[in-house]
Amino acid sequence: MGLYLYYNHYTVCGTFGQKRLPLKKVKQEFLPETDIAPKEGMQLNLNTWVGKFAGILTPDKPAAYQWAMFGLCPVWNDKKMYLFNARVEGKENPTNDPSYSGTRGIFTMPSFRNAIKSRRCIIPMDFFIEGPEKEKYNKPFLIHRKDSEPFFAAGIYENWTDKSTRETIRTFSILTTGATPLLQEVGHHRSPLLLDPETIPVWLDPKADLDFIAELMIPADTSEFEFYPVDSKIVKSKENNPEIEKRINTDLT
């Protein structure tokens, strides 16, 4: 239970939006055998909370978008868990120092160590939502690219089987790092691990060199991103409401 609470205190990213599942920024030379069409039954969500389903790209052959539940559940756990964030530092870097360059504890954490080695995925996003650490979603901000293009968060996934129903569910977590300068402006202490398009094939490769994978686990360059305040009532409603993207007036800048 301690591990569950450790990773499920609202860190980042706890809410994100998908309007499309694009790969236009990932040139064909990077992923030549990718089926980029969403699978039948996928219902994209602008307000994806823990426990909801979203589209992720996995290294299945050919690589393809999959429908997965936000909140990784380790295969060995009898009851469903929702480990929605996986800190790349594990239990190291307790102060969330963005310049931390030490051990990547995710490689030894029981819940994540197998997935990070061979079950890595990416999560396309149009935006994610975060707020000041002390106020969380009471004063939320929408973070997106200035050009409104999609971007890609790094994730890991597991296929968890409910022993009572024999149903197998694909589940995933978003990896996080210390806060980027942009998230520091928001007042938050963590950031999703964002990947450049050219690194995606390596990230998805189960045989990739793990030392190189570890080198990718640093706060992203978010100079091309911006944020603005949105309505907390819409965010917390957990409804798939397009009004979630609407900028509101606020004294908090």
Side-chain angles (χ1 to χ4, degrees):
M1 179 60 72
L3 182 62
Y4 175 85
L5 292 174
Y6 182 75
Y7 282 96
N8 283 272
H9 177 69
Y10 282 124
T11 53
V12 64
C13 169
T15 308
F16 64 92
Q18 289 182 329
K19 295 191 289 188
R20 50 201 161 164
L21 292 178
L23 277 178
K24 62 186 296 186
K25 284 205 161 190
V26 182
K27 296 179 181 179
Q28 201 68 10
E29 64 188 271
F30 297 138
L31 291 173
E33 298 182 3
T34 300
D35 174 9
I36 64 172
K39 300 304 178 185
E40 184 178 356
M42 283 188 177
Q43 299 293 324
L44 300 185
N45 200 318
L46 295 174
N47 196 4
T48 306
W49 282 68
V50 177
K52 293 188 176 183
F53 282 76
I56 67 173
L57 191 71
T58 70
D60 294 349
K61 299 295 184 180
Y65 285 119
Q66 306 288 329
W67 200 223
M69 186 184 73
F70 185 25
L72 183 142
C73 187
V75 293
W76 41 260
N77 208 67
D78 290 337
K79 295 183 179 180
K80 189 181 295 182
M81 298 176 72
Y82 298 95
L83 305 180
F84 63 93
N85 286 166
R87 293 168 55 97
V88 300
E89 313 99 314
K91 291 185 178 181
E92 305 300 324
N93 191 26
T95 62
N96 297 301
D97 180 359
S99 63
Y100 174 83
S101 60
T103 302
R104 301 300 189 240
I106 190 172
F107 287 104
T108 57
M109 294 296 293
S111 295
F112 306 129
R113 62 190 178 194
N114 291 327
I116 191 59
K117 292 174 183 176
S118 60
R119 287 184 291 279
R120 295 181 295 273
C121 64
I122 60 171
I123 304 97
M125 298 179 181
D126 289 279
F127 57 83
F128 64 94
I129 294 173
E130 199 48 80
E133 183 177 356
K134 294 182 180 180
E135 301 179 84
K136 301 183 178 68
Y137 292 137
N138 291 320
K139 292 188 177 179
F141 290 90
L142 184 147
I143 298 101
H144 72 147
R145 285 184 56 89
K146 295 175 183 178
D147 60 9
S148 297
E149 287 293 326
F151 52 95
F152 303 94
I156 53 178
Y157 69 96
E158 289 281 13
N159 296 323
W160 178 77
T161 300
D162 187 330
K163 293 182 179 179
S164 63
T165 64
R166 297 297 178 186
E167 178 188 14
T168 297
I169 304 172
R170 179 158 286 184
T171 67
F172 72 96
S173 287
I174 295 171
L175 272 61
T176 69
T177 69
T180 68
L182 187 79
L183 266 294
Q184 292 175 46
E185 286 187 58
V186 169
H188 206 73
H189 59 302
R190 302 292 295 175
S191 297
L193 173 57
L194 304 182
L195 297 174
D196 293 328
E198 60 268 22
T199 64
I200 288 175
V202 178
W203 183 263
L204 291 177
D205 184 358
K207 298 180 181 179
D209 181 80
L210 295 181
D211 288 336
F212 182 75
I213 293 297
E215 291 177 6
L216 298 177
M217 297 177 179
I218 57 175
D221 176 6
T222 50
S223 59
E224 296 302 316
F225 285 69
E226 63 183 1
F227 63 89
Y228 59 84
V230 291
D231 192 329
S232 63
K233 293 181 180 179
I234 295 176
V235 175
K236 291 191 287 187
S237 73
K238 302 184 181 182
E239 295 179 355
N240 188 12
N241 187 342
E243 290 291 304
I244 198 171
E245 295 186 82
K246 185 177 181 180
R247 183 190 298 262
I248 63 169
N249 295 322
T250 177
D251 293 332
L252 184 59
T253 57

PDB file of all heavy atoms in Angstrom, residues 21-37 57 62-65 152 197-198 200-201 204:
ATOM      1  N   LEU A  21      -4.587  10.803 -32.764  1.00  0.00           N
ATOM      2  CA  LEU A  21      -3.434   9.932 -32.516  1.00  0.00           C
ATOM      3  C   LEU A  21      -2.487  10.093 -33.700  1.00  0.00           C
ATOM      4  O   LEU A  21      -2.430   9.247 -34.585  1.00  0.00           O
ATOM      5  CB  LEU A  21      -3.883   8.476 -32.360  1.00  0.00           C
ATOM      6  CG  LEU A  21      -4.709   8.179 -31.111  1.00  0.00           C
ATOM      7  CD1 LEU A  21      -5.134   6.722 -31.086  1.00  0.00           C
ATOM      8  CD2 LEU A  21      -3.933   8.517 -29.848  1.00  0.00           C
ATOM      9  N   PRO A  22      -1.744  11.188 -33.719  1.00  0.00           N
ATOM     10  CA  PRO A  22      -0.969  11.535 -34.915  1.00  0.00           C
ATOM     11  C   PRO A  22       0.462  11.025 -34.849  1.00  0.00           C
ATOM     12  O   PRO A  22       1.040  10.834 -33.797  1.00  0.00           O
ATOM     13  CB  PRO A  22      -0.970  13.050 -34.858  1.00  0.00           C
ATOM     14  CG  PRO A  22      -0.917  13.329 -33.390  1.00  0.00           C
ATOM     15  CD  PRO A  22      -1.642  12.205 -32.699  1.00  0.00           C
ATOM     16  N   LEU A  23       1.018  10.821 -36.004  1.00  0.00           N
ATOM     17  CA  LEU A  23       2.444  10.553 -36.100  1.00  0.00           C
ATOM     18  C   LEU A  23       3.053  11.404 -37.201  1.00  0.00           C
ATOM     19  O   LEU A  23       4.077  11.053 -37.756  1.00  0.00           O
ATOM     20  CB  LEU A  23       2.704   9.071 -36.387  1.00  0.00           C
ATOM     21  CG  LEU A  23       2.680   8.174 -35.144  1.00  0.00           C
ATOM     22  CD1 LEU A  23       2.893   6.732 -35.530  1.00  0.00           C
ATOM     23  CD2 LEU A  23       3.743   8.591 -34.147  1.00  0.00           C
ATOM     24  N   LYS A  24       2.427  12.518 -37.539  1.00  0.00           N
ATOM     25  CA  LYS A  24       2.927  13.335 -38.644  1.00  0.00           C
ATOM     26  C   LYS A  24       4.315  13.879 -38.337  1.00  0.00           C
ATOM     27  O   LYS A  24       5.092  14.186 -39.236  1.00  0.00           O
ATOM     28  CB  LYS A  24       1.961  14.459 -38.965  1.00  0.00           C
ATOM     29  CG  LYS A  24       1.722  15.459 -37.827  1.00  0.00           C
ATOM     30  CD  LYS A  24       0.629  16.458 -38.173  1.00  0.00           C
ATOM     31  CE  LYS A  24       1.026  17.339 -39.342  1.00  0.00           C
ATOM     32  NZ  LYS A  24       0.030  18.411 -39.588  1.00  0.00           N
ATOM     33  N   LYS A  25       4.642  14.007 -37.032  1.00  0.00           N
ATOM     34  CA  LYS A  25       5.964  14.496 -36.668  1.00  0.00           C
ATOM     35  C   LYS A  25       6.992  13.367 -36.619  1.00  0.00           C
ATOM     36  O   LYS A  25       8.182  13.612 -36.526  1.00  0.00           O
ATOM     37  CB  LYS A  25       5.913  15.206 -35.320  1.00  0.00           C
ATOM     38  CG  LYS A  25       5.306  16.604 -35.394  1.00  0.00           C
ATOM     39  CD  LYS A  25       5.799  17.452 -34.261  1.00  0.00           C
ATOM     40  CE  LYS A  25       5.591  18.915 -34.574  1.00  0.00           C
ATOM     41  NZ  LYS A  25       6.261  19.785 -33.604  1.00  0.00           N
ATOM     42  N   VAL A  26       6.519  12.148 -36.638  1.00  0.00           N
ATOM     43  CA  VAL A  26       7.431  11.003 -36.628  1.00  0.00           C
ATOM     44  C   VAL A  26       7.536  10.512 -38.062  1.00  0.00           C
ATOM     45  O   VAL A  26       6.670   9.812 -38.567  1.00  0.00           O
ATOM     46  CB  VAL A  26       6.911   9.882 -35.707  1.00  0.00           C
ATOM     47  CG1 VAL A  26       7.902   8.732 -35.671  1.00  0.00           C
ATOM     48  CG2 VAL A  26       6.685  10.431 -34.315  1.00  0.00           C
ATOM     49  N   LYS A  27       8.579  10.906 -38.733  1.00  0.00           N
ATOM     50  CA  LYS A  27       8.704  10.610 -40.150  1.00  0.00           C
ATOM     51  C   LYS A  27       8.736   9.106 -40.394  1.00  0.00           C
ATOM     52  O   LYS A  27       9.123   8.308 -39.547  1.00  0.00           O
ATOM     53  CB  LYS A  27       9.972  11.264 -40.700  1.00  0.00           C
ATOM     54  CG  LYS A  27       9.945  12.782 -40.640  1.00  0.00           C
ATOM     55  CD  LYS A  27      11.232  13.366 -41.185  1.00  0.00           C
ATOM     56  CE  LYS A  27      11.205  14.882 -41.102  1.00  0.00           C
ATOM     57  NZ  LYS A  27      12.462  15.486 -41.607  1.00  0.00           N
ATOM     58  N   GLN A  28       8.326   8.731 -41.591  1.00  0.00           N
ATOM     59  CA  GLN A  28       8.271   7.332 -41.952  1.00  0.00           C
ATOM     60  C   GLN A  28       9.624   6.653 -41.796  1.00  0.00           C
ATOM     61  O   GLN A  28       9.707   5.466 -41.524  1.00  0.00           O
ATOM     62  CB  GLN A  28       7.781   7.185 -43.401  1.00  0.00           C
ATOM     63  CG  GLN A  28       7.209   5.823 -43.747  1.00  0.00           C
ATOM     64  CD  GLN A  28       5.893   5.543 -43.036  1.00  0.00           C
ATOM     65  OE1 GLN A  28       5.325   6.429 -42.427  1.00  0.00           O
ATOM     66  NE2 GLN A  28       5.445   4.309 -43.099  1.00  0.00           N
ATOM     67  N   GLU A  29      10.695   7.412 -41.918  1.00  0.00           N
ATOM     68  CA  GLU A  29      12.024   6.822 -41.782  1.00  0.00           C
ATOM     69  C   GLU A  29      12.283   6.364 -40.347  1.00  0.00           C
ATOM     70  O   GLU A  29      13.108   5.492 -40.105  1.00  0.00           O
ATOM     71  CB  GLU A  29      13.091   7.835 -42.185  1.00  0.00           C
ATOM     72  CG  GLU A  29      13.134   9.055 -41.293  1.00  0.00           C
ATOM     73  CD  GLU A  29      14.062  10.138 -41.820  1.00  0.00           C
ATOM     74  OE1 GLU A  29      15.259  10.106 -41.476  1.00  0.00           O
ATOM     75  OE2 GLU A  29      13.590  10.983 -42.595  1.00  0.00           O
ATOM     76  N   PHE A  30      11.573   6.950 -39.376  1.00  0.00           N
ATOM     77  CA  PHE A  30      11.762   6.557 -37.991  1.00  0.00           C
ATOM     78  C   PHE A  30      10.950   5.317 -37.639  1.00  0.00           C
ATOM     79  O   PHE A  30      11.393   4.447 -36.897  1.00  0.00           O
ATOM     80  CB  PHE A  30      11.384   7.707 -37.045  1.00  0.00           C
ATOM     81  CG  PHE A  30      12.233   8.927 -37.207  1.00  0.00           C
ATOM     82  CD1 PHE A  30      11.674  10.186 -37.186  1.00  0.00           C
ATOM     83  CD2 PHE A  30      13.602   8.810 -37.394  1.00  0.00           C
ATOM     84  CE1 PHE A  30      12.454  11.325 -37.335  1.00  0.00           C
ATOM     85  CE2 PHE A  30      14.400   9.937 -37.542  1.00  0.00           C
ATOM     86  CZ  PHE A  30      13.817  11.189 -37.513  1.00  0.00           C
ATOM     87  N   LEU A  31       9.726   5.249 -38.124  1.00  0.00           N
ATOM     88  CA  LEU A  31       8.847   4.122 -37.826  1.00  0.00           C
ATOM     89  C   LEU A  31       8.217   3.619 -39.121  1.00  0.00           C
ATOM     90  O   LEU A  31       7.033   3.831 -39.379  1.00  0.00           O
ATOM     91  CB  LEU A  31       7.757   4.552 -36.833  1.00  0.00           C
ATOM     92  CG  LEU A  31       8.206   4.863 -35.409  1.00  0.00           C
ATOM     93  CD1 LEU A  31       7.053   5.443 -34.605  1.00  0.00           C
ATOM     94  CD2 LEU A  31       8.762   3.635 -34.717  1.00  0.00           C
ATOM     95  N   PRO A  32       8.977   2.946 -39.961  1.00  0.00           N
ATOM     96  CA  PRO A  32       8.484   2.577 -41.293  1.00  0.00           C
ATOM     97  C   PRO A  32       7.391   1.527 -41.295  1.00  0.00           C
ATOM     98  O   PRO A  32       6.677   1.399 -42.280  1.00  0.00           O
ATOM     99  CB  PRO A  32       9.752   2.053 -41.975  1.00  0.00           C
ATOM    100  CG  PRO A  32      10.614   1.585 -40.854  1.00  0.00           C
ATOM    101  CD  PRO A  32      10.357   2.528 -39.726  1.00  0.00           C
ATOM    102  N   GLU A  33       7.241   0.764 -40.214  1.00  0.00           N
ATOM    103  CA  GLU A  33       6.251  -0.310 -40.215  1.00  0.00           C
ATOM    104  C   GLU A  33       5.126  -0.049 -39.228  1.00  0.00           C
ATOM    105  O   GLU A  33       4.570  -0.970 -38.642  1.00  0.00           O
ATOM    106  CB  GLU A  33       6.929  -1.648 -39.881  1.00  0.00           C
ATOM    107  CG  GLU A  33       7.982  -2.060 -40.900  1.00  0.00           C
ATOM    108  CD  GLU A  33       8.585  -3.413 -40.566  1.00  0.00           C
ATOM    109  OE1 GLU A  33       8.134  -4.031 -39.577  1.00  0.00           O
ATOM    110  OE2 GLU A  33       9.492  -3.844 -41.282  1.00  0.00           O
ATOM    111  N   THR A  34       4.772   1.201 -39.070  1.00  0.00           N
ATOM    112  CA  THR A  34       3.784   1.552 -38.061  1.00  0.00           C
ATOM    113  C   THR A  34       2.387   1.696 -38.651  1.00  0.00           C
ATOM    114  O   THR A  34       2.184   2.393 -39.642  1.00  0.00           O
ATOM    115  CB  THR A  34       4.176   2.866 -37.366  1.00  0.00           C
ATOM    116  OG1 THR A  34       5.448   2.691 -36.757  1.00  0.00           O
ATOM    117  CG2 THR A  34       3.162   3.238 -36.304  1.00  0.00           C
ATOM    118  N   ASP A  35       1.445   1.021 -38.008  1.00  0.00           N
ATOM    119  CA  ASP A  35       0.030   1.195 -38.335  1.00  0.00           C
ATOM    120  C   ASP A  35      -0.484   2.328 -37.463  1.00  0.00           C
ATOM    121  O   ASP A  35      -0.671   2.151 -36.256  1.00  0.00           O
ATOM    122  CB  ASP A  35      -0.723  -0.109 -38.046  1.00  0.00           C
ATOM    123  CG  ASP A  35      -2.222   0.035 -38.226  1.00  0.00           C
ATOM    124  OD1 ASP A  35      -2.652   1.087 -38.734  1.00  0.00           O
ATOM    125  OD2 ASP A  35      -2.950  -0.895 -37.857  1.00  0.00           O
ATOM    126  N   ILE A  36      -0.690   3.512 -38.057  1.00  0.00           N
ATOM    127  CA  ILE A  36      -1.017   4.676 -37.229  1.00  0.00           C
ATOM    128  C   ILE A  36      -2.522   4.869 -37.052  1.00  0.00           C
ATOM    129  O   ILE A  36      -2.952   5.814 -36.414  1.00  0.00           O
ATOM    130  CB  ILE A  36      -0.407   5.963 -37.815  1.00  0.00           C
ATOM    131  CG1 ILE A  36      -1.014   6.274 -39.190  1.00  0.00           C
ATOM    132  CG2 ILE A  36       1.103   5.862 -37.886  1.00  0.00           C
ATOM    133  CD1 ILE A  36      -0.592   7.624 -39.740  1.00  0.00           C
ATOM    134  N   ALA A  37      -3.308   3.978 -37.600  1.00  0.00           N
ATOM    135  CA  ALA A  37      -4.761   4.125 -37.487  1.00  0.00           C
ATOM    136  C   ALA A  37      -5.232   3.707 -36.092  1.00  0.00           C
ATOM    137  O   ALA A  37      -4.832   2.652 -35.586  1.00  0.00           O
ATOM    138  CB  ALA A  37      -5.455   3.276 -38.537  1.00  0.00           C
ATOM    139  N   LEU A  57       1.163   4.015 -28.125  1.00  0.00           N
ATOM    140  CA  LEU A  57       1.871   3.319 -29.195  1.00  0.00           C
ATOM    141  C   LEU A  57       2.861   2.355 -28.558  1.00  0.00           C
ATOM    142  O   LEU A  57       3.696   2.754 -27.744  1.00  0.00           O
ATOM    143  CB  LEU A  57       2.602   4.297 -30.105  1.00  0.00           C
ATOM    144  CG  LEU A  57       3.158   3.684 -31.394  1.00  0.00           C
ATOM    145  CD1 LEU A  57       2.020   3.337 -32.355  1.00  0.00           C
ATOM    146  CD2 LEU A  57       4.129   4.651 -32.066  1.00  0.00           C
ATOM    147  N   PRO A  62       3.408  -5.176 -36.433  1.00  0.00           N
ATOM    148  CA  PRO A  62       4.001  -3.838 -36.525  1.00  0.00           C
ATOM    149  C   PRO A  62       3.560  -2.953 -35.370  1.00  0.00           C
ATOM    150  O   PRO A  62       2.544  -3.224 -34.737  1.00  0.00           O
ATOM    151  CB  PRO A  62       3.448  -3.317 -37.854  1.00  0.00           C
ATOM    152  CG  PRO A  62       2.111  -3.973 -37.966  1.00  0.00           C
ATOM    153  CD  PRO A  62       2.303  -5.358 -37.382  1.00  0.00           C
ATOM    154  N   ALA A  63       4.354  -1.929 -35.113  1.00  0.00           N
ATOM    155  CA  ALA A  63       3.975  -0.995 -34.053  1.00  0.00           C
ATOM    156  C   ALA A  63       2.600  -0.423 -34.377  1.00  0.00           C
ATOM    157  O   ALA A  63       2.291  -0.113 -35.516  1.00  0.00           O
ATOM    158  CB  ALA A  63       5.004   0.130 -33.960  1.00  0.00           C
ATOM    159  N   ALA A  64       1.755  -0.307 -33.352  1.00  0.00           N
ATOM    160  CA  ALA A  64       0.386   0.129 -33.603  1.00  0.00           C
ATOM    161  C   ALA A  64      -0.176   0.773 -32.355  1.00  0.00           C
ATOM    162  O   ALA A  64       0.261   0.499 -31.238  1.00  0.00           O
ATOM    163  CB  ALA A  64      -0.488  -1.056 -34.014  1.00  0.00           C
ATOM    164  N   TYR A  65      -1.154   1.652 -32.553  1.00  0.00           N
ATOM    165  CA  TYR A  65      -1.841   2.222 -31.407  1.00  0.00           C
ATOM    166  C   TYR A  65      -2.659   1.142 -30.706  1.00  0.00           C
ATOM    167  O   TYR A  65      -3.297   0.302 -31.334  1.00  0.00           O
ATOM    168  CB  TYR A  65      -2.761   3.359 -31.847  1.00  0.00           C
ATOM    169  CG  TYR A  65      -2.021   4.622 -32.181  1.00  0.00           C
ATOM    170  CD1 TYR A  65      -2.077   5.175 -33.449  1.00  0.00           C
ATOM    171  CD2 TYR A  65      -1.248   5.268 -31.217  1.00  0.00           C
ATOM    172  CE1 TYR A  65      -1.392   6.335 -33.753  1.00  0.00           C
ATOM    173  CE2 TYR A  65      -0.558   6.429 -31.515  1.00  0.00           C
ATOM    174  CZ  TYR A  65      -0.632   6.955 -32.781  1.00  0.00           C
ATOM    175  OH  TYR A  65       0.051   8.106 -33.084  1.00  0.00           O
ATOM    176  N   PHE A 152       4.818  13.859 -27.515  1.00  0.00           N
ATOM    177  CA  PHE A 152       4.849  12.455 -27.117  1.00  0.00           C
ATOM    178  C   PHE A 152       5.492  12.272 -25.746  1.00  0.00           C
ATOM    179  O   PHE A 152       6.640  12.663 -25.532  1.00  0.00           O
ATOM    180  CB  PHE A 152       5.602  11.636 -28.158  1.00  0.00           C
ATOM    181  CG  PHE A 152       5.030  11.766 -29.533  1.00  0.00           C
ATOM    182  CD1 PHE A 152       5.530  12.703 -30.422  1.00  0.00           C
ATOM    183  CD2 PHE A 152       3.958  10.983 -29.925  1.00  0.00           C
ATOM    184  CE1 PHE A 152       4.982  12.846 -31.696  1.00  0.00           C
ATOM    185  CE2 PHE A 152       3.407  11.124 -31.191  1.00  0.00           C
ATOM    186  CZ  PHE A 152       3.921  12.054 -32.077  1.00  0.00           C
ATOM    187  N   PRO A 197      10.774  13.197 -31.574  1.00  0.00           N
ATOM    188  CA  PRO A 197      10.356  12.150 -32.519  1.00  0.00           C
ATOM    189  C   PRO A 197      11.468  11.187 -32.916  1.00  0.00           C
ATOM    190  O   PRO A 197      11.235   9.987 -33.039  1.00  0.00           O
ATOM    191  CB  PRO A 197       9.848  12.950 -33.721  1.00  0.00           C
ATOM    192  CG  PRO A 197       9.367  14.232 -33.125  1.00  0.00           C
ATOM    193  CD  PRO A 197      10.332  14.536 -32.013  1.00  0.00           C
ATOM    194  N   GLU A 198      12.691  11.700 -33.081  1.00  0.00           N
ATOM    195  CA  GLU A 198      13.763  10.821 -33.546  1.00  0.00           C
ATOM    196  C   GLU A 198      14.198   9.799 -32.503  1.00  0.00           C
ATOM    197  O   GLU A 198      14.864   8.813 -32.841  1.00  0.00           O
ATOM    198  CB  GLU A 198      14.968  11.646 -34.006  1.00  0.00           C
ATOM    199  CG  GLU A 198      15.575  12.535 -32.946  1.00  0.00           C
ATOM    200  CD  GLU A 198      14.986  13.939 -32.956  1.00  0.00           C
ATOM    201  OE1 GLU A 198      13.859  14.101 -33.466  1.00  0.00           O
ATOM    202  OE2 GLU A 198      15.643  14.863 -32.453  1.00  0.00           O
ATOM    203  N   ILE A 200      11.978   8.171 -30.583  1.00  0.00           N
ATOM    204  CA  ILE A 200      10.873   7.241 -30.353  1.00  0.00           C
ATOM    205  C   ILE A 200      11.195   5.814 -30.779  1.00  0.00           C
ATOM    206  O   ILE A 200      10.907   4.864 -30.033  1.00  0.00           O
ATOM    207  CB  ILE A 200       9.588   7.761 -31.031  1.00  0.00           C
ATOM    208  CG1 ILE A 200       9.061   8.970 -30.257  1.00  0.00           C
ATOM    209  CG2 ILE A 200       8.515   6.675 -31.104  1.00  0.00           C
ATOM    210  CD1 ILE A 200       7.875   9.651 -30.894  1.00  0.00           C
ATOM    211  N   PRO A 201      11.797   5.577 -31.956  1.00  0.00           N
ATOM    212  CA  PRO A 201      12.091   4.188 -32.334  1.00  0.00           C
ATOM    213  C   PRO A 201      12.992   3.477 -31.327  1.00  0.00           C
ATOM    214  O   PRO A 201      12.797   2.291 -31.046  1.00  0.00           O
ATOM    215  CB  PRO A 201      12.781   4.333 -33.693  1.00  0.00           C
ATOM    216  CG  PRO A 201      12.282   5.627 -34.228  1.00  0.00           C
ATOM    217  CD  PRO A 201      12.147   6.517 -33.035  1.00  0.00           C
ATOM    218  N   LEU A 204      10.992   2.621 -28.182  1.00  0.00           N
ATOM    219  CA  LEU A 204      10.079   1.502 -28.380  1.00  0.00           C
ATOM    220  C   LEU A 204      10.795   0.169 -28.563  1.00  0.00           C
ATOM    221  O   LEU A 204      10.170  -0.892 -28.433  1.00  0.00           O
ATOM    222  CB  LEU A 204       9.188   1.760 -29.594  1.00  0.00           C
ATOM    223  CG  LEU A 204       8.148   2.878 -29.470  1.00  0.00           C
ATOM    224  CD1 LEU A 204       7.399   3.046 -30.786  1.00  0.00           C
ATOM    225  CD2 LEU A 204       7.180   2.611 -28.329  1.00  0.00           C
TER     226      LEU A 204
END
